[in-house]
Amino acid sequence: MGTYADRAQVVAAFALPVLLVAVAGWFAWNETWNRAESELSRTADGASELSERVFSSAILAARLTNNILTGVSDQELRQDEALYNEQVATIMAEVSGSNMISVSDRNGILTLMSGKYPAPRVSVADREWVQALQGSDPPPVYVGAQSVGRVAGYPFFSVSIPRRGSGDDVVPGTYEGNINVSLDPLEIAAELRTTTQEDDDVLSLVRADGAILASTRGTGNPAPRVPSTSPLLKMIGQGAKRGIYEGESIGLRDGIPLGRGILIAFTQVGNLPVYATVSRTPAVIIAPWLQTMTALLAVGLPTSLALGFLSLTSLRRRDALGKSEAELRAAFESAATGTALLDSGTNRILKVNKRLCAMAGRDARELIGMPLDRLLQAPAKGSGRPAEIGSETTTGLSQLECPDGSIRWIELGTAPVVSQRIQDPSLVIATFHDVTERKESEERQILLAREVDHRAKNALAIVQALVRMERDPPIASYVKRVEGRIHALARSHELLAKDGWQGAALEDLLDDELSVYRDGAQVTVEGPPVVVTSDAVQPLSIVLHELATNAVKHGALATPAGILSVSWRHDIQTGELELCWDEKRGTRPGASVAAGGSGIAIIRGSVEQLGGRITLDVQDTGLTCRLTLPHTAITTGRSPVPVNTNSAPANTADTGADDLSGMRVLLAEDEYIVAMDMQELLERAGCVVIGPAANLKEAERLAKTERGALDAALLDVNLNGAKSIDLARDLARAGVGIVLITGYSEVLETDGHENWAQLRKPANEVEIVEALRRVGATSRRGREVEAEG
């Protein structure tokens, strides 16, 4: 055949395309599994967030039921069972996946059972949740394992709380019975299915002890459990809140002979002992890789054979060498990915193809001779690892800055090549994959998840405030007022979700409140197209709900002769929105605004929260309310303006308010309803409240005015888009105790300050008081030491 060099040339001609296919296949293999891990982790996080909303709804329903039954004895409950059944059924209707709310007395006998499958007053003393809550130290919330109903025979699992404040003559602190919310595992599994786009994925809810509560694969009777040898239970036992692992393969149906098994990701559901899991078999994971390899082999093998044939021909016909080299260059140039030949000794580029030139925005003359680390920069911290040039096949992420200043994310793969025809055999083939679109998509998904988490927890905090604001009213009116405000809040969130959390049309907000009365001529609504920004939708929705509720009870809509006119205009000069709510009561004069109550305070506070102004003109003939909102709250047209995520269950333990007596606390919170609730809470605990401040500028002004006199500060991290973390750090350095409260999931750096605490929305009274007690004690000790020095 010729010399040793000639034989090596033939081998290289056959091997190089195969090597390129092998390198590309190896990169694709790792990318396939990395993509599957990323998808499963995101799916587990999404399933956890969905499940947390379901459990939070069930817990809230149980507590509202307890509030309704406060002071009601078991005997009274049996006598008026129909009345209380009706009230509890209204609460249950708002709980996703619930089919029953039941109440049992301290002996385990059912006293109330409201739901799809009512049952006689039987004993449930043997049920798991009853026995758990009868213990000496019962949990505030107990999640029961899956059971089968004794009446209809359907499976369910439960969320239960101890009953408190019954009208029975019992020793305080002893077991008074429980309230149990039953959830349908089939409905929950159907909702879990919506969090993944892969039909073969199996999603489940698993309790910390391995009990399976719900699963998209279905459950038998009895319900299965996770094996005690599962890595999931080991990681949970070690305190892991989320993770991913490979399960054991069972033959070739669930595994493949390449050392990989079933991939399983899990995420804890809030602070509950429950975990959302999602699993995917290797057969599903590698299906895209097999398609890619089929395409690569379809190109690589014919190319390998062609180059080998050309090499053999060149040995016989030296004059054909130029043609074979031209074909090799064509294969290099026409590669679908950016490709370069590197000198591993100097790390300089020796050869590039057209795809790489287009990707870098430079021509070949600029790139040839350039060191690779000058073309590609190390990625930002936490964004991946760069590929390193060496004797091993590697892959990694880097950043490429184009001449126009734009940044592209590059997945760089390198593999060594040895050629006997070159004096220096240390050559490296590098492939450049542009993954910018994938990285940007991942960042958008993370941002959206954080924003949804933040908004959901802010909404829960407002619901908590609305419930606590109404103190000691009659049960029926209390339920009706709170339900109305919560429904207004829910409707505003539905409108936001419909437009991707970017805003909502003002006319849609009005239509939600007034649609029942707009069929005739009693209500007129008129104004140009205006879109309310996402930050303003919730407060404005509550304002419109309070106005509409007042009109129905006391104003124009309380009489058939009444007329309600709503109009608005957009001032092009100032950008402000002016809205007029005008009521005429017709022939029935009388008060147009209910005396007392929290409705007017909520209206004023919510408008001021948006930076707007309000005037109320109350006459015997009707009410005129004029609102002026700043340009930051609205945008014209129908295209919304884009905008830029676990509290412990409440308990009735002693808050230790005496420790806070006289404590001067700076309060900064941009949600007016939440601010009202927190101010009342702090004053009830004996604190002197400075504020509340609705924005960062006002908080900084109050902190400067009260310099040296503050004991603690309770700050919302996000104040109308501005972060309060720098103010918190300045106050902490001055010895002020800091309590940060946020709807986001990240834990902020404390810079080593002892007098620092962080709470997540919605925070309850016990959490807030305990945090202030701790940071206030640290702050006061620091002042005493400073005074003694």
Side-chain angles (χ1 to χ4, degrees), residues 231-316:
L232 173 64
L233 299 185
K234 180 178 179 181
M235 287 189 280
I236 290 175
Q238 293 173 346
K241 294 183 177 295
R242 64 193 307 271
I244 190 165
Y245 65 95
E246 288 184 18
E248 297 179 359
S249 299
I250 305 176
L252 296 182
R253 180 173 179 270
D254 293 325
I256 56 176
L258 293 174
R260 304 306 294 259
I262 299 173
L263 206 56
I264 304 172
F266 69 94
T267 301
Q268 186 175 3
V269 178
N271 287 331
L272 297 172
V274 179
Y275 297 80
T277 69
V278 55
S279 63
R280 184 177 296 177
T281 62
V284 175
I285 295 173
I286 67 170
W289 179 80
L290 292 175
Q291 294 177 353
T292 300
M293 288 304 300
T294 300
L296 287 174
L297 291 173
V299 176
L301 291 180
T303 302
S304 177
L305 293 174
L307 291 178
F309 176 79
L310 290 173
S311 180
L312 288 171
T313 303
S314 69
L315 294 176
R316 297 176 185 144

Side-chain angles (χ1 to χ4, degrees), residues 499-613:
D499 284 331
W501 296 92
Q502 295 182 341
L506 174 58
E507 188 171 357
D508 290 344
L509 292 175
L510 285 164
D511 190 61
D512 267 355
E513 290 296 338
L514 302 174
S515 58
V516 176
Y517 308 96
R518 293 183 64 179
D519 293 339
Q522 193 173 9
V523 176
T524 60
V525 176
E526 182 179 8
V530 171
V531 174
V532 182
T533 61
S534 60
D535 289 335
V537 166
Q538 185 173 285
L540 184 56
S541 176
I542 295 219
V543 168
L544 296 176
H545 170 73
E546 295 296 332
L547 287 171
T549 300
N550 181 76
V552 171
K553 290 183 177 181
H554 312 286
L557 301 183
T559 172
I563 295 177
L564 169 61
S565 300
V566 185
S567 61
W568 64 90
R569 59 180 293 270
H570 178 232
D571 192 322
I572 303 299
Q573 298 279 333
T574 64
E576 292 182 332
L577 175 71
E578 298 176 2
L579 184 145
C580 178
W581 179 286
D582 188 36
E583 299 183 27
K584 296 293 185 291
R585 294 178 55 85
T587 60
R588 183 184 167 190
S592 296
V593 178
S598 56
I600 298 301
I602 289 176
I603 293 173
R604 291 188 182 278
S606 298
V607 173
E608 292 172 1
Q609 172 185 332
L610 297 175
R613 306 182 302 276

